[in-house]
Amino acid sequence: MVETNNDLQVGSIVTGTVIKIDEKQVFVDIGYKTEGIIPISELSNLHVENPGDVVRDGEELTLQVKKIDDDEVVLSKKMVDAEKAWKDLQHKFDQNEVFETEVKEVVKGGLVVDIGLRGFIPASLVETYFVEDFSDYKNKTLAVKIVDLDQEQNRVILSHRAVMEEEQEKKKQDLLQSLQKGQVVEGTVQRITTFGAFVDIGGVDGLVHISELAHTHVEKVSDVLTEGDNIKVEILSVDLDNERISLSYKNTLPGPWSGIEGRIKEGDQVEGIVKRIVSFGAFIEIETGVEGLVHISQIANRHIGTPEEVLKVGDKVSAKVLSVSEQDERISLSMKEIELEKEKGEIEQYEKEEDFSSFQLGDMIGDKLDKYKK
C-alpha cells in the first residue's frame, strides 16, 4: 500500500516524480519538505552505468523509503521492483510458465537477465548445444523458465535450454506422427557407424542400415556417405513406441536396371563376370548390379550336360545380347552366338587367304561351311 508522503517512515512506500538525473543519483519530488534521492545502486537489481538508462525526467515512480535524515530521504526503486518481481516469479514458477527476458550482462559462467530483479542462466542451461562464446547474447531476448527459486537466498536460476528441449520434443512427436511408410523426405547425415548411418530428417534421427545404402553390396558406410551430407531418404517403418525410424537411401536412387534398354541393346556384344551358376545356366554380371542369363543351351556350340563343364564363378566371358527387358529386369545372353560368329569369321578369312574350290574347302571343314552359307 502506498502511504501518504507527509508521514514518512523507513520502509514506507511512496510515489514520486523524477525532477533531476545526475551521474550517480536521481532526485525525486515526493511531496516532502526535501527532495528524495535514489542512489544509482538503488535504481535496479542489475548493474547500472547511467541512471538515464533506467528512468527519465518527469516519470512517476513507486519507491520505498530506505533512510530518513533531517535533510535527506534515501529511496529505493529496486526494493519495490524486487518485491513485485518475487510474487510474479513465484506464480511463473508454480505454473511452469515460459516467458521472455532480456540478457543484460555476460558474466563468467553464464548470463544475467532482467526479470524485475537479477536472474541467472548458467552456461549449461543456455542452449541444447555447447556455446564457446556468449558475447553475442548481450541484449538478446530469450524464452526461459524458472528451474530454481529461493527468495531467502535471493536466487533465481533460469533455463533457456529447457524451453528449447520442450519445443524440440513437441516437434519430434509431431514429426513422428506425420511420417508415413514410403514417404520420401530430406535429411542430413549426423553420424556414421559400422552398421549404417543416422540421418536427421527434421528434428528426429532415423537409421539407414548399411544394406539400404546402395543397390550393390557396400563394404563400408563411409564409401557411400559422409557426415554432413544432405540426402533424400525413403521411410521404411516408424516405431512410435520406441521412437525408431528405419530409412532407405538406395530406394531414392536410380536402380541399376534404370535405362538399361538405352545402354544395352539386342545384338550387342558384352563382357561380364560369371557370378552364379545354376542347373539351367549361368548369371553374368555385365554392369554393376545388372546380371544377364546365359541359358545352358547358349553356353557352347556343342551339347553340354552342366554349365560347370565350361564355366566357373569368376570367369570373364563375352556374350551376345539376345533380348533386354527393363520392366522384367531380364537380359538373355548367348556365348554360343559369339563362338559361332568367331568361327564364321575365321572361315571367311580363310576363304579370302586361300583360293580353294568349294569342293576342296568342304573336304577340309565338313558341313560347317554349309551352316554359314544358308
Side-chain angles (χ1 to χ4, degrees):
M1 178 181 295
V2 178
E3 299 183 7
T4 62
N5 297 348
N6 295 323
D7 186 21
L8 292 183
Q9 299 178 27
V10 173
S12 297
I13 304 298
V14 299
T15 58
T17 303
V18 177
I19 56 175
K20 185 181 179 182
I21 300 175
D22 276 355
E23 185 178 343
K24 296 296 181 181
Q25 58 194 0
V26 174
F27 295 91
V28 184
D29 179 5
I30 56 172
Y32 192 60
K33 60 184 179 180
T34 184
E35 295 170 346
I37 298 173
I38 311 173
I40 191 172
S41 61
E42 294 297 324
L43 279 172
S44 174
N45 288 281
L46 304 174
H47 177 72
V48 176
E49 290 285 347
N50 179 13
D53 294 337
V54 181
V55 298
R56 63 182 185 277
D57 282 333
E59 183 178 359
E60 187 174 279
L61 304 174
T62 300
L63 308 162
Q64 183 172 333
V65 178
K66 189 171 183 183
K67 180 181 177 183
I68 301 177
D69 287 337
D70 290 339
D71 57 349
E72 185 179 74
V73 178
V74 178
L75 305 168
S76 174
K77 178 178 180 295
K78 75 176 185 180
M79 293 174 70
V80 175
D81 292 345
E83 187 62 32
K84 180 182 178 183
W86 279 113
K87 292 179 181 178
D88 182 53
L89 291 171
Q90 187 64 56
H91 176 76
K92 286 180 167 61
F93 184 55
D94 293 341
Q95 299 298 315
N96 198 33
E97 184 178 330
V98 175
F99 58 97
E100 292 188 340
T101 185
E102 184 178 348
V103 177
K104 293 298 185 181
E105 299 175 53
V106 176
V107 297
K108 184 177 180 180
L111 308 175
V112 175
V113 296
D114 181 8
I115 48 174
L117 46 81
R118 184 185 178 91
F120 184 62
I121 308 177
S124 61
L125 298 182
V126 176
E127 299 289 358
T128 56
Y129 50 87
F130 176 74
V131 178
E132 182 78 33
D133 181 9
F134 286 101
S135 57
D136 290 341
Y137 281 76
K138 188 172 183 179
N139 299 323
K140 187 176 180 180
T141 298
L142 298 177
V144 297
K145 63 192 308 184
I146 302 167
V147 294
D148 188 17
L149 186 68
D150 189 332
Q151 187 170 355
E152 290 185 2
Q153 298 293 325
N154 197 35
R155 183 173 67 238
V156 185
I157 305 299
L158 306 163
S159 175
H160 175 60
R161 175 178 176 173
V163 176
M164 299 307 296
E165 286 176 341
E166 286 182 2
E167 290 181 358
Q168 289 173 2
E169 181 61 25
K170 183 180 185 304
K171 184 178 180 181
K172 178 180 179 180
Q173 293 303 320
D174 290 344
L175 178 61
L176 285 169
Q177 295 289 339
S178 69
L179 295 176
Q180 300 292 327
K181 181 179 179 181
Q183 183 179 353
V184 175
V185 296
E186 293 186 353
T188 303
V189 178
Q190 295 293 312
R191 186 162 55 96
I192 288 177
T193 68
T194 56
F195 55 84
F198 287 94
V199 180
D200 179 356
I201 55 173
V204 60
D205 285 353
L207 173 65
V208 180
H209 190 267
I210 191 169
S211 62
E212 292 294 332
L213 285 174
H215 294 285
T216 56
H217 177 70
V218 176
E219 288 288 343
K220 295 194 314 182
V221 179
S222 57
D223 291 339
V224 180
L225 296 176
T226 303
E227 289 183 3
D229 284 350
N230 294 316
I231 61 174
K232 289 184 178 180
V233 289
E234 181 182 312
I235 308 295
L236 296 180
S237 66
V238 180
D239 183 345
L240 293 175
D241 293 334
N242 295 303
E243 297 183 354
R244 291 178 182 170
I245 304 171
S246 295
L247 305 171
S248 174
Y249 179 50
K250 73 178 182 182
N251 286 359
T252 67
L253 303 174
W257 289 87
S258 179
I260 195 70
E261 292 179 13
R263 302 192 302 273
I264 298 175
K265 295 180 171 56
E266 182 179 332
D268 286 353
Q269 180 175 326
V270 296
E271 290 188 344
I273 305 295
V274 178
K275 302 296 285 188
R276 291 180 293 143
I277 294 178
V278 292
S279 60
F280 54 85
F283 287 94
I284 314 297
E285 185 177 58
I286 55 178
E287 285 188 4
T288 301
V290 176
E291 294 181 0
L293 173 65
V294 181
H295 190 268
I296 189 171
S297 64
Q298 295 294 325
I299 290 178
N301 187 22
R302 58 185 173 82
H303 175 74
I304 59 174
T306 65
E308 286 90 350
E309 292 179 26
V310 178
L311 299 172
K312 64 180 183 296
V313 173
D315 282 351
K316 185 175 182 180
V317 299
S318 295
K320 185 175 183 179
V321 178
L322 300 180
S323 64
V324 184
S325 174
E326 180 177 336
Q327 181 177 350
D328 298 329
E329 295 187 352
R330 184 178 299 165
I331 297 177
S332 295
L333 302 171
S334 174
M335 294 170 59
K336 181 173 76 173
E337 288 289 325
I338 297 293
E339 188 177 337
L340 289 172
E341 288 180 3
K342 183 180 179 182
E343 289 182 2
K344 179 181 178 181
E346 289 174 349
I347 292 170
E348 290 176 347
Q349 183 65 30
Y350 191 75
E351 286 180 323
K352 291 178 183 178
E353 293 176 355
E354 300 292 338
D355 187 18
F356 290 123
S357 68
S358 59
F359 174 77
Q360 291 173 315
L361 189 60
D363 285 344
M364 295 179 66
I365 62 175
D367 62 354
K368 286 185 177 179
L369 181 62
D370 296 331
K371 182 166 36 178
Y372 290 106
K373 291 187 175 182
K374 290 179 181 179

